[in-house]
Amino acid sequence: MNKQRNDASFSHILDELKWRGLVALSTDEEALRKELSENSITYYCGFDPTAPSLHLGNLVQLLTMRRLQLAGHNPLALVGGATGLIGDPKPNAERTLNDKATVSEWVSRLADQTERFLDYQGPNAARLVNNLDWTQNYSALDFLRDVGKHYRVGKMLAKDAVSARLNSDSGISYTEFSYQILQGLDFLELNRRYNCVLQTGGSDQWGNLTSGTDLIHRVEGSSVHLIATPLITNSDGKKFGKSEGNAIWLDVELTSPYAMYQFWLNTDDADVIDRLKVFTFLPRAEIEQYQQKVEAEPFKREAQRRLALEVTELVHSHAEAIAAQDAAMALFGAGDIRSLDAKTLRSALNELPNAEVSKGSLVVDALLATGLCESKSDARRAIEQGGVSVNKTKIDSESAVLDDVLPGNQAVLARGKKSLAGLFF
RNA sequence: GGCUAGUUACCCAAGUGGCCAAAGGGAACUGACUGUAAAUCAGCUGGCUCAGCCUUCGGGGGUUCGAAUCCCUCACUAGCCA
C-alpha cells in the first residue's frame, strides 16, 4: 500500500479519475472540482453483504476510494448491515432474503476485506461504518414520519431499477422498493455525523445515489456530490468479472491467487489498457507505453502479464503474485513439464486445485476429485471431446487410468487448455 | 376479496395425453485455427453401475396402461375489477 500513489502529472484528482475512465456520471462537476481542491473532504461508498466476499466490481469502488484518499480526502467505508437485509432491486428478479445471522457474518468479512485497500492509519485514515447502527432501533413509525415524508412515490417509481422491475413480469416487493430510502438515509446520516459530502458508486446505482443527495437537499438544504463509475464491460459484450461462469472473488478461499492471476492474464487485447487504468496504480506514461506494445506486438501480451501481476499483488500479496506467475510459466511455458524439477512443479501444483489420488485409479475419478468436472457424465463427456490430458498427453479413453507419474509423485491433470489441476500420489 | 393469465433445465422460451431427458435462442464448456487473445467454424450441456436404468417441467394429491400436458388443492407472480 505504501507504493501506491496518484499520478503527479495530473493537476487535479478529478482529471486523473476521468482519464482512468472512472467517472461515468457526476453531480455538478465544477462545484465538485472546487470542493475537492479547496478542502479535505469526507466521502463514502457502500458495500452490501450479498455474498461472503467482495468481488471485482467492488474492487473498482475500493480503488476509486483509495485514489481519493491518496489525494488527501477522508474515506468512510460503509458496510450494509441494514441494506443487506433488504437487498437492492436487481433488474430481473426479486432477491431471496438471507437470514440475519448470515448477513451479519458477511458484514464482518466485507469489513475486514476493505482494510486491505484503504489506509486505516494516518492523518486521513479510513473509517468503517455500518448502516445497521442508525437503522436497527429506528421505529417504523418514526422512519415513515421523518424520512418517508420526504420521498414522493412518483419519483421513486421513475427510478430505472424500480421501473424496470415494474415493467417486468416479476414485479417488485415493497421491501426492495424501499431500498432507495434506506440508502438515502445513509448519506444523510453520514452527512450529519461526519460532514460527508461525496458518495461514490457504480452508475447502475445512480438512482440510489441521487436518493441521498435529494434527501440532504430537502432536509439540510445543502448540496452534496456524487461520482458514479461506469459499469466495467468487455469489448465482446460479455459480462466482466467472471471466469468459466464463476465470479472472481477477493477472498483467497473463494478465488485463489493463481485463478486471479489467470483471470487477468486472459484479458482481451481490446480491454487490457482500460483495465490497467482502472485496476492498477501505474502512471499514465507507463500505461501509454503498454498501449503501444499492445498495438505493435500483441502476441507478447506484456500488458496482460503486468496487469495480472499488479492486481494479484494488490488483492493478495507480492509473494503470492510471484508464485502465481511462476506457476503460470511452469505450466504454460514452452518447456516440457517433464524437464521441470520436482520442487518447482510441486509449488506450481499447489497453486491449483488439487487432489490426492492413487496410481491406477480412473482418470474420470480424478477429474471429479479435483473439481475439474462436476459429475462423471461431465468427465466422460470431456474425455470424449478430447479435452482431457494428463501430463500434457491426451486421454482418449473413458476407462483410462492414472499411470504416468512425474518425479515427486505428482501429475498435471488438464481439462481444456486452461483448467489445470494437480494430482498427488 | 373476485376474475383472467402464468410458474418448463444457468437465462429466455416452445411443448397442451404416448414419437419428451423435453424444440429454438442466449450463455457456459470442448475441439480446430491462435498468442493461455478476439473473430469464425464444429461439437456439446440432468444423473448413473451408460446399447440399459433412475430422477426432472412451482409443491402436494388424483384420473389414466401411460401425465410437462387432464382434474383437485396449496404456494408464488402479473394484469384487471373491488
Side-chain angles (χ1 to χ4, degrees):
Chain A
M1 197 179 282
N2 295 332
K3 290 195 306 186
Q4 295 169 4
R5 50 184 49 89
N6 290 334
D7 186 336
S9 72
F10 291 99
S11 55
H12 195 288
I13 176 64
L14 205 49
D15 291 326
E16 174 159 3
L17 293 181
K18 287 175 85 169
W19 174 76
R20 289 188 184 272
L22 287 168
V23 184
L25 279 169
S26 75
T27 46
D28 182 358
E29 191 184 322
E30 282 318 304
L32 175 60
R33 183 174 287 271
K34 196 158 171 256
E35 188 90 60
L36 285 168
S37 56
E38 288 178 358
N39 303 304
S40 172
I41 65 158
T42 297
Y43 61 99
Y44 97 98
C45 178
F47 302 92
D48 270 2
T50 52
S53 169
L54 296 169
H55 51 74
L56 291 183
N58 301 126
L59 185 59
V60 177
Q61 302 309 322
L62 286 165
L63 295 181
T64 303
M65 291 182 86
R66 177 61 180 153
R67 293 181 206 283
L68 284 163
Q69 183 177 35
L70 287 168
H73 302 289
N74 309 285
L76 295 169
L78 180 146
V79 286
T83 36
L85 292 171
I86 301 306
D88 68 313
K90 286 194 293 184
N92 299 323
E94 187 82 9
R95 291 176 189 272
T96 42
L97 294 174
N98 295 310
D99 67 67
K100 290 187 175 182
T102 305
V103 172
S104 150
E105 157 75 15
W106 290 351
V107 161
S108 60
R109 283 172 181 250
L110 302 201
D112 288 347
Q113 283 185 327
T114 64
E115 289 178 16
R116 173 145 192 95
F117 303 96
L118 299 171
D119 192 350
Y120 280 82
Q121 313 289 323
N124 54 335
R127 283 166 292 184
L128 185 72
V129 293
N130 183 344
N131 56 20
L132 193 60
D133 292 345
W134 53 85
T135 47
Q136 65 180 338
N137 293 322
Y138 216 138
S139 87
L141 289 177
D142 286 339
F143 177 76
L144 290 172
R145 287 173 63 90
D146 299 348
V147 188
K149 200 70 173 169
H150 298 293
Y151 281 84
R152 308 308 300 178
V153 169
K155 203 164 181 179
M156 293 174 73
L157 289 171
K159 308 238 162 163
D160 280 352
V162 174
S163 69
R165 283 281 293 281
L166 282 174
N167 292 329
S168 79
D169 51 14
S170 58
I172 186 168
S173 67
Y174 181 71
T175 304
E176 290 191 2
F177 175 61
S178 312
Y179 183 91
Q180 53 180 295
I181 303 186
L182 283 179
Q183 187 162 336
L185 176 63
D186 286 345
F187 201 172
L188 175 62
E189 200 61 36
L190 294 176
N191 179 254
R192 286 174 172 164
R193 293 184 181 205
Y194 302 100
N195 191 30
C196 175
V197 293
L198 169 66
Q199 181 181 189
T200 62
S203 59
D204 57 328
Q205 293 289 312
W206 187 251
N208 291 327
L209 300 178
T210 54
S211 173
T213 52
D214 288 350
L215 181 63
I216 290 171
H217 193 81
R218 275 172 175 267
V219 176
E220 304 288 324
S222 57
S223 291
V224 291
H225 306 281
L226 298 172
I227 293 175
T229 60
L231 221 54
I232 307 288
T233 52
N234 286 346
S235 54
D236 58 10
K238 288 177 193 158
K239 228 176 192 172
F240 166 77
K242 304 245 165 147
S243 165
E244 291 173 22
N246 298 314
I248 303 292
W249 303 100
L250 304 189
D251 187 319
V252 69
E253 297 297 323
L254 299 175
T255 301
S256 69
Y258 175 81
M260 170 74 63
Y261 183 89
Q262 287 294 320
F263 171 80
W264 293 105
L265 191 65
N266 284 313
T267 303
D268 291 5
D269 294 351
D271 295 322
V272 69
I273 297 303
D274 286 349
R275 299 292 181 270
L276 282 169
K277 289 178 181 173
V278 171
F279 291 97
T280 75
F281 287 90
L282 297 184
R284 173 163 54 175
E286 204 168 347
I287 291 177
E288 283 170 352
Q289 280 171 18
Y290 279 112
Q291 187 157 16
Q292 285 170 10
K293 286 180 182 170
V294 172
E295 281 163 23
E297 39 191 18
F299 51 90
K300 286 192 178 171
R301 298 189 303 140
E302 284 185 51
Q304 279 91 339
R305 284 180 219 281
R306 184 62 186 273
L307 175 67
L309 191 67
E310 289 290 326
V311 186
T312 307
E313 176 170 347
L314 199 61
V315 175
H316 298 293
S317 69
H318 183 67
E320 286 173 303
I322 295 292
Q325 185 187 48
D326 289 349
M329 287 207 282
L331 296 165
F332 287 99
D336 181 8
I337 47 167
R338 280 165 211 286
S339 62
L340 285 174
D341 71 89
K343 213 179 142 196
T344 306
L345 182 59
R346 172 67 63 150
S347 65
L349 294 186
N350 276 325
E351 296 291 318
L352 268 42
N354 51 56
E356 292 278 341
V357 294
S358 52
K359 199 178 175 195
S361 60
L362 286 168
V363 173
V364 165
D365 291 332
L367 285 164
L368 209 57
T370 52
L372 249 35
C373 290
E374 288 186 352
S375 66
K376 289 192 180 181
S377 297
D378 191 18
R380 292 196 186 99
R381 204 151 43 227
I383 292 175
E384 196 183 320
Q385 293 182 136
V388 177
S389 65
V390 174
N391 299 332
K392 306 231 169 158
T393 305
K394 189 193 274 188
I395 297 299
D396 50 17
S397 162
E398 291 179 11
S399 55
V401 295
L402 297 167
D403 51 10
D404 183 23
V405 181
L406 297 176
N409 290 321
Q410 50 196 337
V412 182
L413 180 65
R415 180 193 186 176
K417 273 180 291 197
K418 291 179 279 184
S419 305
L420 304 181
L423 298 177
F424 301 134
F425 294 85

